[in-house]
Amino acid sequence: MAATQAYIKGIGAYVPPRALTNFDLEEQLDTSDEWIQQRTGIVKRHWVEGDTSTTDLAVEAVKEALEDAELKKEDIDCIIFATLSPDHDFPGNGCWLQAKMDMGGIPAFDIRQQCTGFIYGLSMADAFIRIGQYKNILLIGAEIHSKGLDRTPEGRNVAVLFGDGAGACVISAREPVEGGGIMAHDLFADGNSAKELWLPAPGTALDPEHRITKKMLDDKLQYPVMNGRQVFMNAVKKMSESLTMTLKKQGKTIDDVDMFFFHQANLRINDKVGEILGIPPEKVFNTIQDYGNTTAATIPLGMRDALKAGKLERGMLVGMAAFGSGFTWGSSLLRF
Ligand code: UT7
């Protein structure tokens, strides 16, 4: 057993107050509540208003996570921020959040693993703690998608799917408890599939001189591009495979797990994963109905809601799996 064990000491989450139902999007996006619910399971999502930024959402989630962990911000010694929708291109959101929270001095970095961001971040936090480098790491997943979507009928295949929100966890060190804490991870990426779900601009690969040009904007290259069917098929396959592997590593089976938190991109993806692995539906905590796809925020947001609803309790064995742009995918197993 490692000399130090990492565990989730506190969780917090936040979504902006404005909720938009599918009906609210019907006219602007030439879509329908029926199409969205049947194909995705989404009923509503939260979108920010005004000049709210991604780190503004994160600050609220972090405050709740610190309170839940019964720690002060001074106890935190590292910040890991997972997002694909940062406040600015650089510096990373870890730095902006650190300044807003007045936590200057400690290391802060961003990771860009899209929908798998939280699982990658959890694995990194776990590794830092196991080697004794940090004691209380703030891991955040936060997104504002609404400002980056093509909210015209042309963009409806993507725009209806995404919501804004933030989740945060405090990952802390403790003396190892047998069979406890964060146990195992499985991380993957396949850059050959990058263009199945990507954001072309701004970027250095498109123009000899500029990262952003008027032509790029006219061509709508600032909006995400997705091959929905490819993403769907791969998500089902890779999430199922990865979770199976992570459980096997720890000598556990599906039946040993008390609650599953999957990335929330499509209710049908999660139903299929559950079907393939033989997971009883009541053991999968879905939130897509209320939030849509909130990318890196999804898993901590779901855990916070499950905790509040009494569905997640200390001592439970928790399985997680996610899949997204990159492609990136992975899974984690932990004793909560
Ligand atoms: O976090 C990882 C990121 N994303 C995912 O994991 C998403 C994975 N993919 C999916 O969830 C599904 O592929 C979608 C929900 C995105 C799409 O469902 P689909 O069953 O694959 O639909 P489709 O893209 O094949 O489109 C079917 C039809 C098309 O019309 P025609 O060509 O059959 O006449 C689309 O134009 O649905 C139309 N359509 C819409 N209609 C109303 C596409 N988007 C919409 C919309 N409202 N929002």
Side-chain angles (χ1 to χ4, degrees), residues 64-85:
E64 193 181 68
L66 287 172
E67 204 179 301
D68 188 43
E70 297 180 346
L71 290 177
K72 297 190 292 293
K73 61 187 182 184
E74 291 77 19
D75 298 319
I76 300 296
D77 48 10
C78 177
I79 298 170
I80 304 176
F81 202 122
T83 187
L84 63 69
S85 49

Side-chain angles (χ1 to χ4, degrees), residues 5-26:
Q5 187 175 71
Y7 73 110
I8 297 183
K9 192 172 166 70
I11 303 185
Y14 181 76
V15 292
R18 183 171 65 136
L20 286 98
T21 65
N22 297 337
F23 294 106
D24 293 328
L25 304 183
E26 281 186 342

Side-chain angles (χ1 to χ4, degrees), residues 1-5 130 174-182:
M1 220 184 293
T4 313
Q5 187 175 71
R130 278 175 198 261
R174 70 176 177 199
E175 287 290 310
V177 174
E178 186 71 37
I182 300 173

